[in-house]
Each structure stands twice: as structure tokens, then as C-alpha cells.
């Protein structure tokens, strides 16, 4: 029996680890009161997305 992971499994594990780190940071932000109300959060997301699109153009 082979004990190594194939490339897809390794990639999925890295993606899962990254997602958990992002969630942990988000939870930490909420617990410390650094969260935004939903409307403000979506406005900020739109601003960041537009900045990124404009930077590529």
C-alpha cells in the first residue's frame, strides 16, 4: 500500500488549509469587534473588486 498523496489530494489539502486559516481570521475579527455591517461589507467588497479590475486594465 502506498502512503503518498497524489497531486490532487495535496492541492485539495492546501486549499482546505487556506480556507480554514481565512475562516479563523474572520472569526478572530468578529470576536474583537472589527467586523462590518453587511451593507458596508458588500460595499467594501465592490470597491476592492473594482480596484483590482482597474489595476489589470
Amino acid at each position: 500500500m502506498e502512503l503518498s498523496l497524489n497531486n490532487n489530494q495535496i492541492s485539495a489539502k492546501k486549499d482546505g488549509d487556506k480556507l480554514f486559516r481565512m475562516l479563523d481570521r474572520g472569526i478572530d475579527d468578529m470576536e474583537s469587534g472589527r467586523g462590518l455591517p453587511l451593507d458596508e461589507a458588500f460595499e467594501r467588497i465592490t470597491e476592492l473588486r473594482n480596484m483590482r479590475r482597474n489595476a489589470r486594465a
Side-chain angles (χ1 to χ4, degrees):
M1 178 159 72
E2 189 171 329
L3 296 176
S4 65
L5 299 173
N6 68 34
N7 287 340
N8 291 337
Q9 290 171 316
I10 292 170
S11 178
K13 180 171 178 7
K14 286 181 182 179
D15 289 345
D17 290 346
K18 184 177 178 181
L19 178 61
F20 283 128
R21 283 194 304 273
M22 290 169 54
L23 290 171
D24 284 341
R25 285 194 304 262
I27 292 168
D28 290 343
D29 285 345
M30 287 188 289
E31 288 175 344
S32 64
R34 291 188 301 248
L36 293 175
L38 190 60
D39 292 341
E40 290 180 35
F42 278 107
E43 287 175 18
R44 184 65 180 144
I45 290 168
T46 301
E47 290 172 12
L48 294 171
R49 185 180 299 141
N50 290 337
M51 287 171 45
R52 194 166 89 199
R53 284 183 185 154
N54 292 338
R56 282 191 243 157

